[in-house]
Amino acid sequence: MPLHPMIVFLAAWLASFLGTLPFGPVNLSVVDTTIRQSFRAGLWFSAAAAIVEIGQSFVALHFNHSISAYLDSHIWAKVLTAFVFLGIGLAFMLRRNQAGLPRREWSQNSHFARGLFVALLNPQAIPFWIFVLAYFENSQYMHLSTHHSLQIVLAFFLGVSLGKLGALILFGLLGQAISRRSHLIQGWMNKAVGGILIGIGLLQGLQAAAG
């Protein structure tokens, strides 16, 4: 049965939305940006991350199994990932609590650039989309590749991007709600975000050591 663009869009949107919900560096950074700056700043950050997700899903769609095999067979990639998460986590842990201090004004471009940078440093997106595409294929739900029609490919990328953006907007709203309740929570937020990222880094390091 031929693929319909709407079916592809909905499947990609749902996968992207659900895949963004678990805590990670991108959605945690959206919460942190919203608390420290504004919801608009978090929105710019989210938009950049959603654009990066298109590129990462394209890599997974085009190379699929070869990329997955490369990441599994090169321990240095896992080690590098571990150090990246540890570094970002320590930066959050050591950040001073800025509650009560005037906010530093950032331009929209700087928030967008931060979103691009953090999303590009998130190596979990490509294996995630490789898994999603393999699941679609193994379940005989659909088989996707860059060789499909332009409508199908665009529907997939649009679903990926909007699913990511929708989930990140929810995290931005969460950050806004936290910011309205109390600025004192910022110090605990730093420790929570830093602790989670350090945990991810240690997990990546253990996986590299085991491999």
Side-chain angles (χ1 to χ4, degrees):
M1 184 175 67
L3 291 176
H4 192 281
M6 183 56 66
I7 299 298
V8 173
F9 169 81
L10 292 175
W13 186 95
L14 183 61
S16 185
F17 183 86
L18 295 178
T20 306
L21 293 181
F23 283 120
V26 177
N27 46 30
L28 289 173
S29 295
V30 170
V31 175
D32 182 71
T33 300
T34 303
I35 291 175
R36 294 182 173 278
Q37 301 296 322
S38 65
F39 178 74
R40 178 177 293 181
L43 189 59
W44 279 100
F45 187 103
S46 301
I51 292 175
V52 172
E53 192 81 4
I54 294 177
Q56 292 169 330
S57 64
F58 171 79
V59 172
L61 187 66
H62 188 68
F63 295 101
N64 207 341
H65 301 294
S66 59
I67 289 292
S68 181
Y70 179 84
L71 292 176
D72 290 336
S73 61
H74 289 75
I75 296 180
W76 67 265
K78 295 181 180 180
V79 173
L80 178 61
T81 299
F83 277 108
V84 168
F85 280 121
L86 287 172
I88 297 176
L90 286 174
F92 273 100
M93 293 287 286
L94 298 176
R95 180 186 291 179
R96 291 178 55 195
N97 185 8
Q98 298 178 350
L101 298 178
R103 294 183 177 183
R104 179 182 176 184
E105 295 297 328
W106 295 72
S107 67
Q108 295 175 350
N109 290 337
S110 63
H111 294 305
F112 190 84
R114 281 188 65 236
L116 292 175
F117 179 73
V118 174
L120 286 170
L121 287 180
N122 180 24
Q124 297 172 327
I126 295 176
F128 168 77
W129 283 109
I130 290 176
F131 169 80
V132 169
L133 292 170
Y135 174 79
F136 286 160
E137 183 175 353
N138 293 334
S139 63
Q140 298 182 349
Y141 182 68
M142 65 176 67
H143 173 71
L144 293 172
S145 71
T146 52
H147 300 295
H148 279 91
S149 67
L150 182 60
Q151 281 185 321
I152 295 297
V153 173
L154 289 180
F156 174 75
F157 289 146
L158 186 61
V160 166
S161 181
L162 293 183
K164 182 82 169 184
L165 183 60
L168 292 180
I169 287 176
L170 289 182
F171 280 97
L173 293 174
L174 173 63
Q176 190 177 44
I178 293 174
S179 180
R180 286 175 177 174
R181 285 179 177 270
S182 174
H183 290 290
L184 296 177
I185 203 171
Q186 289 184 8
W188 293 104
M189 185 68 187
N190 289 338
K191 293 180 175 59
V193 173
I196 292 174
L197 293 177
I198 288 175
I200 295 174
L202 291 175
L203 180 61
Q204 293 288 334
L206 290 175
Q207 289 178 347

